[in-house]
Amino acid sequence: MTDTTAAPEGAQDDNAAAQSGIRIMAQFIRDFSFESPLAPDSLRSGTAQPAIDMGVEMNARGRTDGLFEVDLKLSARATRDDQPVFHVEVVYGGLFHIAGVAEAALEEVLLIECPRFLFPFARRVIADITSEGGFPPFLIDPIDFGGVYAARKAQAESVVIGNA
């Protein structure tokens, strides 16, 4: 009989899983802009709903300390009758520690999974500032970052093939 107890079956797998994954080390607003050039006239409710033009960009870069910086850029431009109502743009960043991810999957983790973590916070910033600007809060619908990534990758590949 020994004084030590054996680790439960699967404990090593749990340890390995605890070492892998995505950790957010910090979140921050890197850049932010809100414009309502025709206020207060643009605040009056017109009969027409404004047309909204949305933009989404994701960027990532490695750092010398082994962490990764990921930026999620969201922009929304609202117009009514060809007149600007508001324009908001936020670059919301995160500092991530990523472990246990295969090199082949790292780009997808950085440009799909990390923006999914950042999105609710960037969405809240936009909702808050549009509300403070005198408009109803602009709540951005959930974004399919996998679809955005796939579309951008396909577009980049078609440019490379087109230039060949």
Side-chain angles (χ1 to χ4, degrees):
M1 183 168 197
T2 65
D3 290 341
T4 61
T5 57
E9 192 171 323
Q12 285 183 335
D13 293 336
D14 290 342
N15 253 354
Q19 298 299 320
S20 66
I22 302 169
R23 287 185 48 214
I24 303 172
M25 309 304 289
Q27 298 178 164
F28 47 90
I29 295 174
R30 186 179 301 276
D31 191 18
F32 180 72
S33 172
F34 176 80
E35 300 171 19
S36 181
L38 300 179
D41 294 334
S42 62
L43 300 176
R44 289 185 291 178
S45 294
T47 56
Q49 288 284 22
I52 306 288
D53 182 30
M54 281 290 308
V56 178
E57 293 180 34
M58 300 94 61
N59 294 299
R61 64 192 152 283
R63 295 168 33 120
T64 58
D65 59 5
L67 299 175
F68 295 90
E69 289 183 40
V70 177
D71 288 336
L72 172 60
K73 180 180 178 181
L74 299 175
S75 61
R77 184 178 304 274
T79 58
R80 183 184 300 124
D81 301 326
D82 294 326
Q83 294 293 314
V85 177
F86 69 80
H87 179 229
V88 62
E89 182 175 287
V90 64
V91 179
Y92 197 86
L95 185 62
F96 291 86
H97 177 264
I98 299 174
V101 174
E103 187 72 28
L106 186 58
E107 181 178 89
E108 290 182 8
V109 167
L110 290 170
L111 297 177
I112 298 171
E113 299 305 322
C114 292
R116 282 184 184 151
F117 286 111
L118 299 174
F119 175 74
F121 302 98
R123 179 182 192 240
R124 189 200 75 233
V125 168
I126 289 175
D128 288 349
I129 196 60
T130 53
S131 177
E132 291 292 325
F135 301 97
F138 179 60
L139 296 172
I140 299 172
D141 289 335
I143 296 172
D144 175 10
F145 290 104
V148 173
Y149 172 80
R152 298 268 164 88
K153 193 148 180 97
Q155 182 182 24
E157 288 173 0
S158 70
V159 169
V160 170
I161 291 170
N163 288 336

